[in-house]
Amino acid sequence: MANPVVPSSGVLTPLGLDAVRLDPGFWGDLRTLDQDVIIGHCLEWMDKLGWIGNFRGEPRRGREFSDSEAYKLLEAMAWAGDPRFDELAATVVAAQEPDGYLNTRWSGDRYRDFEWGHELYCAGHLIQAGVARWRTAGEHPLTDAVRLAADHVCRRFMEGHEVCGHPEIEMALVELYRLTGTERYLEMARRFVERRGRPALADIELGRAYFQDEVPVRRARGFGGHAVRAMYLACGAVDVAVETGDAELLAAIEAQWEHTVARRVHLTGGMGSRHTGESFGEDFELPPDRAYAETCAGIGSVMLAHRLLLATGRSRYADLAERTLYNLVAASPALDGRSFFYANPLQVRTPGRSTEDVSPRAQSALRAPWFWVSCCPTNLARTFASLPAYLATATPGGIQIHHPTACEISHDGLTVRVETRYPWSGAVSVRVVEAPADPRHISLRLPPWAAGALEARETPRGALNDTVSRHPDGLTPVRRGQALVFGERVWTPGEVIGIELPMEPRWVRPDPRVDAVRGCAAVERGPVVYCAESPGDEAVLAEVVVDPSRPPVERAADNALREGAAHGDPAQDGPLQDGSPQDGAAQDGSPQDGAAQDGAARNAPARDGAVQLEVRALRRPEGQTGPPHGEADDTPREEELTLRLVPYHRWGNHGPATMRVWLPTG
Amino acid sequence: MANPVVPSSGVLTPLGLDAVRLDPGFWGDLRTLDQDVIIGHCLEWMDKLGWIGNFRGEPRRGREFSDSEAYKLLEAMAWAGDPRFDELAATVVAAQEPDGYLNTRWSGDRYRDFEWGHELYCAGHLIQAGVARWRTAGEHPLTDAVRLAADHVCRRFMEGHEVCGHPEIEMALVELYRLTGTERYLEMARRFVERRGRPALADIELGRAYFQDEVPVRRARGFGGHAVRAMYLACGAVDVAVETGDAELLAAIEAQWEHTVARRVHLTGGMGSRHTGESFGEDFELPPDRAYAETCAGIGSVMLAHRLLLATGRSRYADLAERTLYNLVAASPALDGRSFFYANPLQVRTPGRSTEDVSPRAQSALRAPWFWVSCCPTNLARTFASLPAYLATATPGGIQIHHPTACEISHDGLTVRVETRYPWSGAVSVRVVEAPADPRHISLRLPPWAAGALEARETPRGALNDTVSRHPDGLTPVRRGQALVFGERVWTPGEVIGIELPMEPRWVRPDPRVDAVRGCAAVERGPVVYCAESPGDEAVLAEVVVDPSRPPVERAADNALREGAAHGDPAQDGPLQDGSPQDGAAQDGSPQDGAAQDGAARNAPARDGAVQLEVRALRRPEGQTGPPHGEADDTPREEELTLRLVPYHRWGNHGPATMRVWLPTG
């Protein structure tokens, strides 16, 4: 099956890329952008910087883990069916040593630095690339190389207590086991998971918690340390737990996930509160400005949620995946697919500087085309290419749609076409194209915000169903937990079922223990988190105060956009509708490269029809010039205005800007 | 003159260690602790770790800048008149190469890494140690070595464009110029200052802003980058400006100071908001939990404020020095002088782990006896040893007391004894011991919080003077700017003047642009910032809400303490007076090492008579278990209680604890 994760057991069965085919729409457009732009963009940069040349024995360039970028790109090409796969794969395979070892940085000096060497991390990505190829188009010289590499790892590491400073090999080996049935791959993965935290690695300045080596995996209370490492390790642990039937280990990861989601995840789904160590912070340490929320950690969180969803069937995992996909993974690439956020803060006070070169830093407030540590672009490339695999699942009784988006889903004789402009519209219809003779169900996940809104109406069950069902002949779904289930019944081709999710914009408030956003509120609409963006202007967003007793409303001017197709994005207008002097200044001060980026945005195929919102706000004048603390807070508030809000995932596409998700309420 | 800073011109003249002699009291006790404990503690650790052995050619140990710790300790010994100076100095001098170069890390491989090598930084500290010796006890083999080293630096660097990644050499060379009159030292310092930001150093991952090499010194808008580097560079720039008569450069640093103090300084005077790069953040980025506020940056800020005060006479520099001395510099050492904070956050959510070993990390929430990078303990040692030099100044017409503390001050025939229990009491009396025949003034700085409180009484000038004057025969001071000036007049030995500063505890509020402490307030009393501390208990401080409309009050139980001498510290009671279950649990759960530390605190000679405060607060139960954001914030609030507040500089002396300075108000 053409899916990155194919467990041998679990409550839900994944569907392959052949079973879920995206149509134009939010995610279909992003996958097209990936195939048309992002994959090629990554290949060009790696070629230019010599990271491909490393495999040809050219003078070594790039960081010690740069090989892994080539592997992630190979994985992306495999999922996308990209014709450039063969050439890149051949280059990689030619660099493998006879015993299976393959690393352009450490060849001849193997396994001297488990803390920072990333050799097993790279091997893991190589294996995942081979698995992707095998599952999409069968065996290949790369798949031979991958088995050779995995056998080398097993020979070298089956005994002893060594692990890699960066988890990744664990889930790769389990997936290769799932594909080949070779038991030693699973056993090797199990040992890597179990060795951690005994401890297996040296203490470092950042502490062993950085690479999850402070306590054994099953004894951790929540996720901590380097967020990408934490997510990847948890993925491997779930995979091992599922394949070995280790219910205790699975329960441990579930508990860690619950603990973390309640305390350490940003509103966008972003994970990681500290630039130092690219790490989770403490419980409730969720600063919007210094949120690291690395793109790769978001991808890792989606990978983990998918594994936990398959294993348990609990829709709360899909809930977090949805939050993360729309507000973090989708936020990273520019609309034109040629630059990327590495860190994804929820507040930017100082407009970033644009760069057309390699960014040495992750904390840029503007997207960059490439990074010295460039894990994120290739990770996005493989994620978008394999995205259909994450959207729906099956059971013997039917199919489950976790993330509604325009697509066609086929499984075991039942083919349906999902038609929706979600997340901009709440209307989701499912048309039966082909149906088997036996009864099936079709279920749609009910997101928690939708369930809450529906329940808040305090209507009887029938009325609830009236609200959510648009089935023409009166078929109403049954609510089972957090899903609306149509059927089980025998379907007839041409039948259409539908729901209408409530898309009223809503204010959300932080837990009072989140100190960093006390006295603030944010706006969501459907699964989308909104932000205020102020292109080219530092001051405005430091001075606004919103009133959450007045609900956000959709901008009238956007109604046409929701129905339309490709269109210009008016975000360069600045956040204020009322023409305050600073607003005018912001427009006049927009730099030229901002305008150029905007031109690209106008033609961007992805994510059309974005709904913009507005809220009434007060603007207070800039405060005192003395110390930033004093005996009184009697700053007068002046000037009521309208603050425009844009989807967070679209911010930063119009040149340097300030931005904030959490808006002060007083 | 026995003072670290002796400018050839300026509005105020410094007084040497021979002119200001500390009596027992807040700062006198700390200087005694330094002489009795801290200096020896540093020597023991450096000996044990081989950092002294490096000078004897033993296998190299420690970080590339560890030589500087020996130099800072030599400087401390010189100011303190410590008899161990000669032996350590001889060890250092013996390691100097014939041409004057002295560095145990880079000998034979000189000047290859200006970004990180710290060679000129170390040379600067060597020079400062020599200056301290020269000014306290005359020439010495070390002072010869220092001249040789400075000459080497001038030969090697007078031409070209190289600078050190860590500023320090600049102020050292100016001070050596001031001592010797050798012009080339000043010229070398001037060139080092001017070369920066052209740029002079390589771009690094942290950016050139890290070492103040992004823009020329006189063109920066405020202080940024690594906070210690920023402070040291600004010190050197002021020194160069004063000695070369460069009014533009002095004005630039003054403007940068104003910009920074209004936007980038924590309530404690702490500088640095980011662990990454140990750096300033952006304007208004002042997170209490991740405040770095390195001890050395606080020391650097006091050094800079002192230089600016001498140059301009503006008391606002002494205001910040006072805030920083009482709430950052005094907070770093434990009451027993055997462990130290490196970072000084304003909130600790998770109790730290105590260590009796070298701490590899700066961000410990518990003091550590030593660090891998151990700049802070020796910096404290030299600062406490030279502290009298920072307290008072002179002009031809009299003396100015900037920081009241028990001491005797002699200058040009006028000797006065300052008697006060400040900062615990606001009463400050100055007794004339010896007086010249010509008229003099005696002025006392009026801190801004005192000026504000006095002005808030809206009394006529006469009443103001009645309030502040305790002179027995009715002598009233004149207010000149931010000082109360007694005289000019001819004094008679035995005369006593006095003021009573208003010491009512007060709430302070953050600037609304400081996002991280929105909806919070803090308590100050006199110059002292207070905090709530919860030994051994994680939860309490996450759950309290205070009401700033109710003024904080002094704890009745402390009245006796204010008048008394040595006494036990009751802080181990926990922050709550009302015996809630968690409060009891906190007491029972106190770890043994906490109790041991407490024992040390009971006998600590420093900082006796601390006033504790209390405020009424609400405690709300622990919140939801779902995601840390949602549609409503309707957590019920329960249980009124009394929250005890202790001086921030005393926190963490009773074992692992949570702590917060900024308290939520709703």
Side-chain angles (χ1 to χ4, degrees), chain A residues 204-205 207 261-262 274 276 282 290 347 349 361 508-509 511 513 515 622 624-626 628-630 660, chain B residues 204-205 207 261-262 274 276 290 347 349-350 361 508-509 511 513 515 622 624-626 628-630 660:
Chain A
I204 56 172
E205 188 170 345
V261 167
R274 297 182 179 178
T276 302
E282 297 182 334
R290 296 293 287 168
Q347 177 180 10
R349 286 192 191 81
R361 286 164 281 279
V508 292
R509 301 293 201 110
D511 185 300
R513 290 169 293 181
D515 294 300
E622 201 164 316
Q624 65 243 46
T625 54
H629 41 75
R660 64 189 304 163
Chain B
I204 55 172
E205 187 170 345
V261 167
R274 297 183 178 177
T276 303
R290 296 293 286 168
Q347 177 181 10
R349 286 192 191 82
T350 305
R361 285 164 281 280
V508 292
R509 303 294 200 106
D511 185 300
R513 290 168 292 182
D515 294 301
E622 200 165 318
Q624 66 242 48
T625 54
H629 40 75
R660 66 188 304 162

Side-chain angles (χ1 to χ4, degrees), chain B residues 509-596:
Chain B
R509 303 294 200 106
D511 185 300
R513 290 168 292 182
V514 181
D515 294 301
V517 291
R518 188 184 313 288
C520 291
V523 171
E524 294 180 333
R525 179 183 176 279
V528 176
V529 173
Y530 279 73
C531 69
E533 181 183 9
S534 177
D537 182 5
E538 268 190 67
V540 178
L541 295 186
E543 297 175 2
V544 293
V545 176
V546 297
D547 176 4
S549 72
R550 300 168 72 171
V553 296
E554 295 183 21
R555 288 189 82 199
D558 297 319
N559 290 343
L561 301 183
R562 290 172 65 190
E563 309 306 324
H567 63 89
D569 187 300
Q572 70 275 22
D573 293 349
L576 308 183
Q577 287 197 312
D578 301 353
S580 64
Q582 285 80 346
D583 188 22
Q587 288 183 48
D588 299 340
S590 300
Q592 292 304 312
D593 59 351

Side-chain angles (χ1 to χ4, degrees), chain A residues 328-350:
Chain A
L328 192 121
V329 177
S332 176
L335 291 175
D336 69 0
R338 297 188 183 281
S339 61
F340 309 88
F341 281 133
Y342 188 118
N344 295 272
L346 282 77
Q347 177 180 10
V348 171
R349 286 192 191 81
T350 306

Side-chain angles (χ1 to χ4, degrees), chain B residues 180-196:
Chain B
T180 63
T182 306
E183 296 273 355
R184 66 174 172 279
Y185 302 153
L186 175 61
E187 177 60 15
M188 185 72 260
R190 190 189 70 75
R191 293 188 185 191
F192 280 142
V193 168
E194 295 293 354
R195 284 173 191 170
R196 275 194 126 75

